[in-house]
Amino acid sequence: MDNTAPRKVEHQQTDRGYVPVYATGVVEQPWESYTRTDHEVWDTLYKRQRELLPGRACKEFLAGVERFGLGDGGIPKFSELNKVLGETTGWELVAVEGLLPDEVFFDHLANRRFPVSWWIRKPDQLDYLSEPDLFHDLFGHVPLLLNPIFADYMQAYGRGGMKAFAIGPEALMNLTRLYWYTVEFGLINTDEGMRIYGAGIVSSKGESIYCLDAPAPNRIGFGLERVMSTRYRIDTYQQTYFVIDSFEQLFEATRPDFTPIYAKLKSLPAHAAADVLDGDRVFNRGTREGFATDADT
Ligand code: PHE
Ligand code: FE
C-alpha cells in the first residue's frame, strides 16, 4: 500500500451508542471526501469485472451486483446499500479503516454486520493490492450477502470464529483456511459449469480468468476437514481451488460443532497448498506450472 495516501478520517461515534472506536473499528463512510479519481477507480474496476464475470461468476453473485446497482456510477453510499440489505437478509455494512483484530471481525459477522474498508486503491493499483480496499470488500463480498443461505453462512462463520478464538490458535488457523477457500477463493459447480463465488477472485481480473482457465491449479471437491487442513498462498494466485456443489452443501457441511474436528486436526500435519490427496474428488489435476516452491502460509 501507498502509505502517503491521505486516508485518515475523524473517528466518529456510531449510532450504536457509546462504543469506543478501538473496540469495533467502525467509522462513518466519509463519502464526501472521495476524489474524482477515487470514483473513477471504482467505475473502471466495476466496468472491467462486470464485463468479465458473466459466464464466470455464479448467478447469485451477478444478481446481487444488479440488485445493489453497484454500477450506477461512482462509489456507492453504504447507507443506500444498507436499505437494500436491511429489507432482504438484514445485514448491515459498516465502514472500517482496514483489517480488524480477529475477535472484532467475528463479532461483527456474528451480528450480521459486514466491515468494509472505506478507502479505495490508487489508479496504479488496479491489478494488485496487498490489503483489502473498498473494491475488494464491497464488490467482492457484499453481493452474496443478499443470498439468504450465504448470508446465514457468514453469520455462522462469525459465531464459529468466536468459538475458535476461545479454543486456541490452531483452531483459529483451521477456521481461517475454511474462510480462505470458501468466502475468498471458492468455486461452485453449477448446471451451466464451474463458476466463481469467492470474493478474492471476483474482485481480481487476473484471478477471475486464471481460476477457471489456467491448467496449473488443482480444482478439487470441497471437503470440510480437507479444506481446514490445507495451507494457502497469500502472495500468488491459488494453487488449489475447492469446489462446492451448492451453498446449501456448504452450509450443511459446516453446521456441526467443530470442537472435535479441531481436536482431531491438531494432531495431524497440514497439507501443502498444491497437494492432491487420495480420496480427493478431482475436477482438474493441476499441472503446477509456474508454482512457487517455497513454503505456504
Ligand atoms: N459449526 C461451526 C462450529 O461449531 C461454526 C461454523 C459455521 C464455522 C459455519 C464456519 C462456518 O464451530
Ligand atoms: Fe476479503
Side-chain angles (χ1 to χ4, degrees), residues 179-250:
Y179 190 88
W180 191 263
Y181 281 120
T182 61
V183 177
E184 294 290 354
F185 292 98
L187 297 180
I188 181 165
N189 191 26
T190 75
D191 292 340
E192 292 87 44
M194 194 93 82
R195 295 288 185 269
I196 307 161
Y197 72 92
I201 308 177
V202 290
S203 60
S204 157
K205 180 186 179 193
E207 197 149 6
S208 292
I209 298 169
Y210 179 90
C211 72
L212 295 173
D213 296 358
N218 304 312
R219 299 177 190 86
I220 293 173
F222 174 86
L224 183 63
E225 293 182 21
R226 173 68 166 89
V227 166
M228 286 172 69
S229 56
T230 303
R231 297 196 298 266
Y232 55 86
R233 309 286 315 193
I234 57 167
D235 57 341
T236 62
Y237 295 156
Q238 297 308 301
Q239 299 184 336
T240 295
Y241 298 93
F242 288 98
V243 184
I244 60 171
D245 291 315
S246 64
F247 294 125
E248 287 87 348
Q249 177 210 17
L250 179 61

Side-chain angles (χ1 to χ4, degrees), residues 33-51:
S33 78
Y34 293 128
T35 64
R36 241 186 112 97
T37 305
D38 291 334
H39 289 295
E40 283 167 10
V41 167
W42 172 274
D43 289 343
T44 302
L45 289 168
Y46 173 83
K47 187 160 178 285
R48 210 164 76 157
Q49 291 312 95
R50 189 65 193 77
E51 281 166 10

Side-chain angles (χ1 to χ4, degrees), residues 99 105 114 132-133 136-137 140-141 179-180 183-185 199-200 203:
L99 291 176
F105 180 63
F114 193 78
D133 74 332
H136 168 78
D137 287 342
H141 285 280
Y179 190 88
W180 191 263
V183 177
E184 294 290 354
F185 292 98
S203 60

Side-chain angles (χ1 to χ4, degrees), residues 21-255:
V21 162
Y22 63 82
T24 65
V26 172
V27 301
E28 183 116 337
Q29 182 190 23
W31 197 85
E32 302 298 334
S33 78
Y34 293 128
T35 64
R36 241 186 112 97
T37 305
D38 291 334
H39 289 295
E40 283 167 10
V41 167
W42 172 274
D43 289 343
T44 302
L45 289 168
Y46 173 83
K47 187 160 178 285
R48 210 164 76 157
Q49 291 312 95
R50 189 65 193 77
E51 281 166 10
L52 179 63
L53 290 176
R56 292 184 178 273
C58 66
K59 59 181 189 301
E60 293 85 351
F61 175 84
L62 295 170
V65 170
E66 294 306 311
R67 176 79 202 276
F68 277 123
L70 295 184
D72 289 353
I75 295 173
K77 288 186 172 145
F78 297 174
S79 55
E80 296 295 319
L81 305 177
N82 278 338
K83 291 179 192 160
V84 180
L85 273 171
E87 65 195 29
T88 50
T89 54
W91 274 75
E92 178 194 2
L93 309 182
V94 291
V96 295
E97 279 286 339
L99 291 176
L100 300 169
D102 287 326
E103 69 277 32
V104 177
F105 180 63
F106 294 143
D107 181 65
H108 281 307
L109 297 186
N111 291 287
R112 288 173 105 83
R113 292 188 303 264
F114 193 78
V116 176
S117 302
W118 68 264
W119 55 273
I120 194 158
R121 68 193 73 184
K122 297 294 162 198
D124 61 354
Q125 299 171 311
L126 296 189
D127 294 320
Y128 182 77
L129 200 64
S130 63
E131 61 176 315
D133 74 332
L134 173 76
F135 189 74
H136 168 78
D137 287 342
L138 184 48
F139 184 87
H141 285 280
V142 175
L144 276 183
L145 292 178
L146 290 180
N147 178 270
I149 300 169
F150 196 82
D152 286 351
Y153 174 68
M154 291 296 285
Q155 179 175 29
Y157 180 86
R159 290 177 173 155
M162 312 284 269
K163 204 164 84 182
F165 185 79
I167 294 174
E170 295 93 347
L172 206 50
M173 180 47 75
N174 293 146
L175 193 72
T176 301
R177 290 178 184 142
L178 174 65
Y179 190 88
W180 191 263
Y181 281 120
T182 61
V183 177
E184 294 290 354
F185 292 98
L187 297 180
I188 181 165
N189 191 26
T190 75
D191 292 340
E192 292 87 44
M194 194 93 82
R195 295 288 185 269
I196 307 161
Y197 72 92
I201 308 177
V202 290
S203 60
S204 157
K205 180 186 179 193
E207 197 149 6
S208 292
I209 298 169
Y210 179 90
C211 72
L212 295 173
D213 296 358
N218 304 312
R219 299 177 190 86
I220 293 173
F222 174 86
L224 183 63
E225 293 182 21
R226 173 68 166 89
V227 166
M228 286 172 69
S229 56
T230 303
R231 297 196 298 266
Y232 55 86
R233 309 286 315 193
I234 57 167
D235 57 341
T236 62
Y237 295 156
Q238 297 308 301
Q239 299 184 336
T240 295
Y241 298 93
F242 288 98
V243 184
I244 60 171
D245 291 315
S246 64
F247 294 125
E248 287 87 348
Q249 177 210 17
L250 179 61
F251 190 77
E252 289 307 320
T254 52
R255 190 195 285 276

